Amino acid sequence: MSASVSETQHRDQTSQAKSWGQLAMIPRSANDAVDSLILVWVRIVVAIAIYCWADSFLRNDQYLAIFVEPRFLFKYEPFQWVQRWTADGMWWHFAITKIAAVGLVFGLLSRVCAATLCFSIAYVLLVERQIYVNHYYLLSLTAGLLVFLPVGGRWSLDAWWGIQRRRRSFPRWQLWLLRFQLGLPYFYGAIAKLNGDWFRGQPGELILRTRFEVGGRPISELPGVVQGFAYSGFAYDLLVVPMLLWRPTRWLAVALSLVFHLTNAATLNIGVFPWFMLATMVVFFPPDTLGRRLRLFVGAKPVDPEVVRSCSSNAVRLNPSPRWATSLAWMYVIVHLLLPLRAAIYPGDSNWNERGHRFGWRMMLRHKDALTHYLVVDQNSDEFLFVPSTIVLTGYQAQRADHHPELIRQTAVAISEAAAELGVPQNRVYALALVSLNGRKPVPMVDPNVDLTQVRRGWWRDDWVQDDPGPFRDKAWDVPKDRWWSELDLPEPFVPLQGRSPTELERFLKQLSNERPDQDAK
């Protein structure tokens, strides 16, 4: 009788486990044990990369210019409440990040350190949205994944002191989760290049023109170079991950990656990104690669085959922890597969209106030149004044905000508040935001007849943003910005600037500010 009951319970448990396996779509082989040495490597690489990231802000007190000195910081609409640390808080933020990175290298409180690194970058991206860079986002996500992986189970102080259980292996599906995260920028980087501008050679031509020369002339002028750059860049992003995973093409992919990333490191100001991507390529190799290479030098032991067979044979008998883990993993994968698709859903060109551009792995797709000035009108007297964005922004901020519609709107609001502080409480603010996308002739990005203090960011589209960046030009627009107001037909109410130059306006404003103290003294 008891045997019958036991067999019935076993069948029920097996049936439930199979049902869960079907629901979570986890094959038996996904729970095979693989060498955890790859986790040690990723743990160290992520920690070093984020240490360098934090150190770049502390070096020469760069954090002051970006976070402390500005009059205000740009925010994402749902995260207006995220404020910068007060006093020396920003210095401590990056100092603690470096300490956590060192802790992660040595595997001391690995999960806490990984969570700290993930939060550190996420906070910085929320507290000042205009500093967004794709590799900041990637580092934050990868550090977040390490919180849930057994990265402290081997070659760590956690394992040495018993804080985490010693582990020489981990489930294969977790390795594929890491591969998914690190392969995503390549895949969506290729998908994002499926647009006319990229394959017509821009912005590649603009990148090559300013960074490479042959015989004293830009390399972009040589026949076929621009088209070769465009098509090879697309092919590399699309194929590098499959080539790394397939043994016959693996070392060719490594060679191409060395050329690609080292060239980017030498010519583009993208920080640790090329080095991070090169260092993590090993994730796409067979999981025992590091162990085999290490054994050649120090004789490290391989993963016990019995452990592999045991883990594989029990793959369908999942306890509650793996069930939650695999469910969360699938949710994570689905969210990050869908998030980059926003750019294809929103109306208009994402390279122009910036909707869906961030958090979507859209890299090297647009080159924007911008000249943005504002008109402040006193509603009581109709007196007006033209001002540049730098009246409330630092040069660092203006360089990144003058071509982004939402940041232009937030700048207009800040200018309105500054005017109120100077005695003009009732005012309207308009923007002349002339933007050239990938060598096009500059056109207004926002409606110059709309008071930007009275509009809000829409959830789908913005009526105050001009959707058309203008026709593509075979020859890129190369008129110096100081002549834009002379070369272009300016719209109302900015016609008074026609024929003048931004330098002339800046001289006038400087003279006006110098005269103001004398007038106040009288």
Side-chain angles (χ1 to χ4, degrees):
M1 182 67 172
S2 59
S4 177
V5 172
S6 177
E7 291 175 1
T8 302
Q9 291 176 343
H10 177 72
R11 284 196 300 269
D12 290 343
Q13 292 173 354
T14 303
S15 176
Q16 291 174 1
K18 289 181 177 179
S19 298
W20 178 260
Q22 294 171 355
L23 178 63
M25 297 175 8
I26 298 294
R28 294 173 64 92
S29 61
N31 282 296
D32 286 352
V34 296
D35 193 344
S36 64
L37 198 58
I38 187 64
L39 285 182
V40 177
W41 177 260
V42 173
R43 184 191 83 208
I44 295 173
V45 169
V46 169
I48 293 174
I50 298 182
Y51 181 95
C52 294
W53 169 82
D55 186 66
S56 69
F57 285 99
L58 293 179
R59 195 181 308 127
N60 299 322
D61 291 334
Q62 186 181 8
Y63 76 96
L64 292 174
I66 298 175
F67 299 103
V68 179
E69 295 173 359
R71 176 188 177 94
F72 79 103
L73 302 180
F74 294 102
K75 295 289 189 293
Y76 292 100
E77 191 67 25
F79 297 99
Q80 299 284 354
W81 54 272
V82 181
Q83 300 299 317
R84 60 189 162 195
W85 304 118
T86 58
D88 295 330
M90 291 306 302
W91 185 91
W92 280 108
H93 178 87
F94 292 110
I96 291 172
T97 300
K98 292 174 65 174
I99 293 172
V102 173
L104 188 60
V105 166
F106 291 101
L108 175 61
L109 300 176
S110 301
R111 298 189 192 278
V112 174
C113 288
T116 301
L117 300 183
C118 175
F119 165 80
S120 174
I121 299 178
Y123 168 80
V124 165
L125 294 180
L126 293 178
V127 80
E128 174 53 289
R129 66 174 285 175
Q130 56 91 15
I131 71 163
Y132 174 85
V133 180
N134 278 295
H135 74 265
Y136 294 179
Y137 178 47
L138 178 61
L139 288 174
S140 181
L141 291 177
T142 310
L145 278 182
L146 298 188
V147 176
F148 303 97
L149 301 180
V151 295
R154 189 173 180 186
W155 287 19
S156 68
L157 294 177
D158 285 350
W160 181 268
W161 290 336
I163 298 174
Q164 284 195 40
R165 180 170 61 89
R166 293 179 181 271
R167 299 185 61 165
R168 294 180 55 83
S169 63
F170 72 114
R172 185 181 298 276
W173 69 265
Q174 294 182 0
L175 173 62
W176 276 101
L177 186 61
L178 269 178
R179 288 173 171 174
F180 167 81
Q181 182 62 78
L182 296 171
L184 207 60
Y186 290 116
F187 174 73
Y188 275 114
I191 298 302
K193 290 180 174 64
L194 293 173
N195 67 74
D197 279 17
W198 181 263
F199 287 109
R200 279 193 291 253
Q202 296 223 32
E205 191 272 336
L206 296 171
I207 296 172
L208 295 173
R209 184 206 305 170
T210 57
R211 291 177 171 86
F212 298 95
E213 289 188 357
V214 175
R217 57 186 292 198
I219 194 174
S220 59
E221 296 180 2
L222 299 179
V225 169
V226 172
Q227 290 300 317
F229 177 85
Y231 281 91
S232 63
F234 167 76
Y236 172 80
D237 282 346
L238 185 65
L239 299 176
V240 64
V241 171
M243 290 174 68
L244 286 170
L245 291 171
W246 192 37
R247 183 176 180 178
T249 57
R250 183 170 297 137
W251 291 108
L252 174 60
V254 170
L256 293 174
S257 296
L258 285 170
V259 172
F260 179 80
H261 288 298
L262 293 179
T263 300
N264 286 344
T267 59
L268 302 176
N269 184 23
I270 50 178
V272 300
F273 182 64
W275 312 104
F276 177 76
M277 297 307 285
L278 283 173
T280 53
M281 279 194 304
V282 70
V283 169
F284 301 101
F285 287 25
D288 63 340
T289 299
L290 285 178
R292 287 188 284 106
R293 295 291 181 268
L294 187 62
R295 288 195 297 275
L296 294 177
F297 299 98
V298 298
K301 296 180 180 179
V303 177
D304 188 347
E306 292 298 327
V307 174
V308 176
R309 285 194 291 270
S310 174
C311 186
S312 179
S313 64
N314 292 320
V316 296
R317 283 182 286 205
L318 301 173
N319 57 38
S321 179
R323 293 178 185 179
W324 281 107
T326 53
S327 297
L328 289 174
W330 275 113
M331 290 174 59
Y332 183 88
V333 168
I334 292 170
V335 167
H336 287 279
L337 284 175
L338 296 178
L339 197 60
L341 300 180
R342 296 170 300 138
I345 298 173
Y346 285 129
D349 184 350
S350 178
N351 291 335
W352 172 254
N353 61 31
E354 302 288 335
R355 281 192 172 272
H357 192 85
R358 295 183 178 184
F359 311 105
W361 313 114
R362 300 175 60 81
M363 297 169 283
M364 299 175 64
L365 297 177
R366 76 222 199 290
H367 179 92
K368 285 181 174 178
D369 282 325
L371 178 61
T372 303
H373 279 66
Y374 296 82
L375 171 62
V376 184
V377 180
D378 186 341
Q379 295 187 99
N380 295 323
S381 65
D382 286 336
E383 292 183 355
F384 63 89
L385 183 67
F386 294 104
V387 297
S389 59
T390 49
I391 199 168
V392 293
L393 302 183
T394 65
Y396 182 93
Q397 286 179 310
Q399 183 181 2
R400 291 156 177 78
D402 280 358
H403 62 260
H404 192 300
E406 171 59 12
L407 303 191
I408 291 172
R409 184 194 70 80
Q410 292 187 27
T411 302
V413 172
I415 290 176
S416 176
E417 293 173 353
E421 293 174 3
L422 293 174
V424 188
Q426 295 180 318
N427 59 72
R428 300 188 301 272
V429 181
Y430 306 88
L432 176 63
L434 297 172
V435 181
S436 168
L437 173 65
N438 291 338
R440 289 172 170 81
K441 184 177 179 179
V443 296
M445 171 168 278
V446 302
D447 190 338
N449 295 292
V450 171
D451 177 7
L452 294 180
T453 65
Q454 301 301 311
V455 298
R456 299 289 295 177
R457 177 75 161 169
W459 69 274
W460 179 248
R461 68 184 304 273
D462 299 308
D463 294 335
W464 46 275
V465 176
Q466 311 276 44
D467 285 333
D468 186 7
F472 185 85
R473 295 166 58 95
D474 291 330
K475 187 178 185 305
W477 173 270
D478 58 359
V479 177
K481 290 182 184 179
D482 222 40
R483 290 170 44 198
W484 281 18
W485 293 346
S486 298
E487 299 286 334
L488 302 171
D489 293 328
L490 302 186
E492 291 286 355
F494 291 89
V495 172
L497 295 177
Q498 191 79 56
R500 300 188 178 183
S501 71
T503 303
E504 181 182 349
L505 176 60
E506 290 171 7
R507 284 198 299 264
F508 168 75
L509 292 172
K510 185 176 181 179
Q511 179 182 356
L512 187 66
S513 64
N514 290 336
E515 292 175 353
R516 185 176 299 276
D518 297 335
Q519 294 175 353
D520 292 342
K522 295 177 182 179

